[in-house]
Amino acid sequence: MPPWVHGRSLCTMPDMDTLRRAVLAPLLARDADTKARLARTIDLTLPVGADDPLAEPPGIPGRPERPALVPHTQLKQRSMRTPEGRAALLHALAHIELNAIDLACDIVWRFAGLPEAFYRQWATIALEEACHFELLRDHLRTQGFDYGDFPAHNALWDMAQKTRHDLLARLALVPRTLEARGLDASPPIKAKLEGAGDHAAGAILDVILRDEVGHVAVGNHWYRWLCEARGLDPVATYAELASTHQAPRQRGPFNLPARRAAGFSEAELAALATADTGPR
């Protein structure tokens, strides 16, 4: 039995005859290394199966036994002067990328009836997120640590759960909010790691930032496409969705060049700046 099944009968696993079914394999995989490998090898040439009504299988998302998941308030702040502190930061980044695999796979299988390009773009993103995870995991191992050695939080998937019945909310609050925050956080994190002498990690973050600009751009494109289809104003609708689903408040400083490259409009950036300077 393949290791990604982890106790599931083979007959209960989804057929892989369409792209939307194929992404369920990495999404259900519990072993982190296997999840990444399966995502990286998704067959992007499969027919999409856009109108296939898929029932949600149990076990979404597959998770390894480690790391322990705790509220983000329980995560310790560690000094960059110590090997443990630098490893903990790399681990946190790897955990984000592993979650990003699940987020991309989940949006592919969960929402039916969309243009073919929607599914192929998000499946490609899943593949790239897997490469990011492997880069960070491999680098973490060179430091004498591994994924699972530090606790982590579940905020990304929590928002996916909140928005599982509404594609517009998913697009607004996952790629355009939580993942876009990575565009802002990448430069200062790179500076911390390179300041501690880890230039290899800085180079990895350059790769991730480059790709994440494209990922957020995909989220922006489909968010606006759906707003237009529903006759909604993107800026006002975003504020409403963020309030309804209690999205975390976005705080500066913002990486405006990266956000512009990812397709945020000037009106959206102005609203972001206004919200950041409002009452605390």
Side-chain angles (χ1 to χ4, degrees), residues 187-271:
I189 290 175
K190 176 185 174 182
K192 283 184 180 181
L193 289 166
E194 290 191 334
D198 194 343
H199 295 280
I204 292 171
L205 286 178
D206 284 340
V207 172
I208 293 174
L209 178 60
R210 178 201 67 199
D211 292 346
E212 292 298 339
V213 167
H215 300 174
V216 176
V218 170
N220 271 323
H221 169 79
W222 291 108
Y223 172 75
R224 291 204 185 88
W225 179 85
L226 205 53
C227 281
E228 183 177 352
R230 297 183 184 182
L232 300 172
D233 174 74
V235 177
T237 299
Y238 175 81
E240 181 180 343
L241 290 169
S243 175
T244 298
H245 296 282
Q246 299 180 315
R249 179 173 173 177
Q250 299 199 72
R251 301 185 184 277
F254 301 111
N255 187 345
L256 295 180
R259 282 181 175 265
R260 289 189 177 101
F264 284 97
S265 69
E266 293 304 315
E268 287 170 325
L269 295 178

Side-chain angles (χ1 to χ4, degrees), residues 4-235:
W4 58 274
V5 174
H6 282 274
R8 294 179 188 274
S9 167
L10 287 176
C11 65
T12 66
M13 294 305 298
D15 294 330
M16 305 304 168
D17 54 345
T18 67
L19 188 60
R20 289 183 60 227
R21 291 176 181 270
V23 299
L24 286 168
L27 184 57
L28 291 166
R30 295 185 59 192
D31 177 73
D33 292 347
T34 306
K35 182 185 291 289
R37 177 178 56 78
L38 289 171
R40 187 169 40 78
T41 55
I42 291 170
D43 184 355
L44 299 175
T45 68
L46 286 169
V48 164
D51 297 320
D52 191 2
L54 300 179
E56 181 167 351
I60 289 178
R63 283 284 185 265
E65 293 182 4
R66 300 171 64 241
L69 298 179
V70 301
H72 69 90
T73 54
Q74 294 183 18
L75 295 176
K76 297 179 181 178
Q77 294 292 323
R78 301 172 189 260
S79 171
M80 289 293 98
R81 297 177 182 177
T82 67
E84 291 79 8
R86 296 189 291 275
L89 180 53
L90 290 168
H91 186 276
L93 297 173
H95 182 69
I96 289 169
E97 298 301 328
L98 193 75
N99 272 263
I101 297 171
D102 288 332
L103 294 169
C105 290
D106 190 74
I107 205 171
V108 170
W109 87 263
R110 187 174 294 277
F111 299 102
L114 295 157
E116 180 175 319
F118 176 92
Y119 301 105
R120 298 206 184 281
Q121 286 173 355
W122 287 109
T124 300
I125 288 172
L127 183 156
E128 291 176 349
E129 303 290 19
C131 292
H132 297 168
F133 171 79
E134 290 176 338
L135 284 171
L136 289 164
R137 177 207 62 196
D138 291 350
H139 186 55
L140 188 61
R141 287 173 176 170
T142 69
Q143 311 301 302
F145 298 89
D146 205 348
Y147 180 68
D149 286 351
F150 300 91
H153 66 75
N154 207 34
L156 277 169
W157 188 257
D158 287 345
M159 185 57 74
Q161 282 293 96
K162 287 182 181 180
T163 59
R164 66 188 182 277
H165 300 305
D166 184 354
L167 176 59
L168 188 65
R170 172 69 66 88
L171 291 167
L173 303 179
V174 176
R176 300 182 75 251
T177 300
L178 299 182
E179 293 184 275
R181 182 57 186 150
L183 306 182
D184 307 323
S186 184
I189 290 175
K190 176 185 174 182
K192 283 184 180 181
L193 289 166
E194 290 191 334
D198 194 343
H199 295 280
I204 292 171
L205 286 178
D206 284 340
V207 172
I208 293 174
L209 178 60
R210 178 201 67 199
D211 292 346
E212 292 298 339
V213 167
H215 300 174
V216 176
V218 170
N220 271 323
H221 169 79
W222 291 108
Y223 172 75
R224 291 204 185 88
W225 179 85
L226 205 53
C227 281
E228 183 177 352
R230 297 183 184 182
L232 300 172
D233 174 74
V235 177

